[in-house]
Amino acid sequence: MSISSKIIPLDEAVRHFVNNGDHVALEGFTHLIPFAAGHEIIRQGKGELTLYRMTPDLIYDQMIGMGCAKKLVFSWGGNPGVGSLHRFRDAIERGWPHKIEIEERTHADMANAFVAGASNLPFAVMRGYIATDLVEQSRRVRFVTCPFTGERLAAVPAVRPDVSIIHAQKADRKGNVLMWGILGVQKEACLAARRAIVTVEEIVDDLAAPPNACIMPHWVLDAVCVVPRGAWPSYAQGYYERDNSFYQAWDGISKDREGFTAWMKRHVLESSDFSAFLDALSNIPEEVSPA
């Protein structure tokens, strides 16, 4: 794909680069969570996905509840500051809309596994999994002896998604992407993946990168998609704040199957894209609206 063709609509990017049965990472840590991309995956009916994320929250609750996932690999899951993910729990406890497999790992494991994948290494080595029963529940954790010190260390397999998707603040017209603020493993997830999609708030002529910002060069990305407010209801530093009211409202919206299904149909499936989704919310007084 030529540089000039990297900037494409999100629906086209998902159609070309996300396949049924793929291993998919939608990363973002409290901030820059790629909600718009998750909605497009739901809208296109992608399924049988193995989903990776350090901290799955509302967007994975939506994807699981809409039947996109067959497995979740994660290190923490919940509605931050509110409580449980009801659709995730329903899938695990009652098999609705179908059973999903889970693989629980630690934050250190997931972060190091993404780094190993980004470094094209087969596994990561770390100090961890000491005095935890996660080792007994996982066949993926091994222990090795350091050849230099004799120290016993944990080894975990690298994470190499088929496709990673993140949200960022800006891209230039060549498709280089700039992000800043609280970052998790977005950079590593993209470098570890076979294909990478980034949604951004805007396209600019000059990135004007501030100190300590992260720049993803165009040659490591497959698609850059302009989606203003594409991380809502999470936040994008410098653009908009986190909508805490939506996280609170989601607890009630997602609590029962019928209410969840009706809300998703009305707001996601019947919206042509993320802009239409935001417009639909803002035009309904009784709904939680994007600020």
Side-chain angles (χ1 to χ4, degrees), residues 163-186:
V163 57
S164 288
I165 306 175
I166 65 171
H167 188 74
Q169 282 98 338
K170 298 179 182 180
D172 65 18
R173 301 190 187 282
K174 292 183 179 180
N176 301 302
V177 168
L178 173 68
M179 57 197 306
W180 71 89
I182 297 175
L183 302 181
V185 292
Q186 289 102 310

Side-chain angles (χ1 to χ4, degrees), residues 64-131:
I64 289 168
M66 294 302 287
C68 298
K70 73 171 183 180
K71 181 177 179 179
L72 177 64
V73 181
F74 71 111
S75 49
W76 177 91
N79 184 340
V82 179
S84 291
L85 296 174
H86 297 298
R87 296 301 92 222
F88 177 28
R89 288 192 63 166
D90 203 6
I92 295 299
E93 296 173 359
R94 303 176 188 86
W96 191 92
H98 56 249
K99 272 283 187 184
I100 65 167
E101 182 184 351
I102 60 171
E103 181 182 314
E104 188 176 359
R105 302 166 77 161
T106 66
H107 275 350
D109 177 340
M110 291 285 285
N112 279 283
F114 273 119
V115 170
S119 304
N120 200 25
L121 294 171
F123 64 91
V125 178
M126 62 181 186
R127 293 185 177 93
Y129 284 113
I130 304 301

Side-chain angles (χ1 to χ4, degrees), residues 133-198:
D133 63 359
L134 281 177
V135 175
E136 300 169 9
Q137 299 177 35
S138 175
R139 294 174 295 175
R140 291 181 174 269
V141 181
R142 300 287 189 272
F143 288 92
V144 297
T145 301
C146 174
F148 303 104
T149 66
E151 183 180 2
R152 187 171 182 257
L153 300 168
V156 294
V159 170
R160 298 295 305 269
D162 294 304
V163 57
S164 288
I165 306 175
I166 65 171
H167 188 74
Q169 282 98 338
K170 298 179 182 180
D172 65 18
R173 301 190 187 282
K174 292 183 179 180
N176 301 302
V177 168
L178 173 68
M179 57 197 306
W180 71 89
I182 297 175
L183 302 181
V185 292
Q186 289 102 310
K187 175 184 71 175
E188 292 80 4
C190 285
L191 294 175
R194 293 174 177 84
R195 304 180 295 277
I197 300 170
V198 183

Side-chain angles (χ1 to χ4, degrees), residues 189-211:
C190 285
L191 294 175
R194 293 174 177 84
R195 304 180 295 277
I197 300 170
V198 183
T199 57
V200 296
E201 293 292 325
E202 62 176 333
I203 300 290
V204 296
D205 292 324
D206 185 351
L207 291 179

